[in-house]
Amino acid sequence: MDARLNAFLERAESVLARLEPLLPAPRPTIDWSTTLAARWQRDGRTGYLMPLEVSLDIRLSDLIGVDKQRDQLGRNTHQFIHGLPANHALLWGSRGTGKSSLVRALLAEHAGAGLRLIEIERDHLADLPRVVEQLQKLPQRFILFCDDLSFEAGEGDYRVLKSVLDGSLEQAPD
């Protein structure tokens, strides 16, 4: 009996050794008390948040020529962090006009108050409900940042974005 059991265990171990490389890698756990930003990563049909190392080297006061936009977005972000009514924001302009720098400066300014940043690629907008679901019960306040948001005629990705912004059966997230 011991010989058969040993043979079975050896075969099972061999099968597991061949299957192990096919299994998905363990997903990182994010400690949002110390992590300031993450990027949504696709993993086949599912996805996860990958922590990012971000530099907080840019301040709002460093941004020149966008005073009105900086001040308006700064006030809106301040209200958002403090649980007051705030608006969604769409920054648009030519490449190199400071849109991403403005978002990074907002993070640098308000990270201590619990502001965090999630970067999501335009091609992953269909995953927005999953992203929001993961963040929903956390005490931090999250900016979902999509750099290079554009839509072609006939594409439906904007509907997912609209649904997350406006809410559906569930209440729209703060």
Side-chain angles (χ1 to χ4, degrees), residues 42-116:
R42 273 265 179 90
D43 185 11
R45 292 184 184 182
T46 63
Y48 61 96
L49 289 167
M50 172 67 78
L52 292 177
E53 293 290 326
V54 292
S55 172
L56 301 181
D57 61 343
I58 189 165
R59 299 279 175 228
L60 288 171
S61 59
D62 295 335
L63 302 175
I64 300 169
V66 291
D67 300 352
K68 180 181 174 187
Q69 296 86 347
R70 177 194 63 210
D71 294 345
Q72 191 173 13
L73 196 56
R75 281 190 305 274
N76 191 58
T77 303
H78 184 266
Q79 285 187 216
F80 170 64
I81 290 168
H82 290 92
L84 300 171
N87 294 309
H88 300 292
L90 175 64
L91 305 177
W92 76 94
S94 300
R95 186 177 201 90
T97 56
K99 299 176 298 292
S100 298
S101 295
L102 185 54
V103 172
R104 285 194 359 254
L106 285 168
L107 179 63
E109 184 87 11
H110 298 288
L115 186 66
R116 300 295 184 261

Side-chain angles (χ1 to χ4, degrees), residues 38-43 47-50 52 117-129 131 143-151 155 157-158 160-161:
R39 178 179 295 123
W40 180 256
Q41 297 284 93
R42 273 265 179 90
D43 185 11
Y48 61 96
L49 289 167
M50 172 67 78
L52 292 177
L117 183 66
I118 303 294
E119 185 177 8
I120 185 164
E121 292 182 27
R122 179 226 171 283
D123 293 339
H124 298 167
L125 286 178
D127 296 341
L128 272 176
V131 175
I143 290 177
L144 298 179
F145 175 67
C146 182
D147 198 16
D148 191 27
L149 181 64
S150 61
F151 300 104
E155 287 183 310
D157 288 345
Y158 72 90
V160 176
L161 177 61

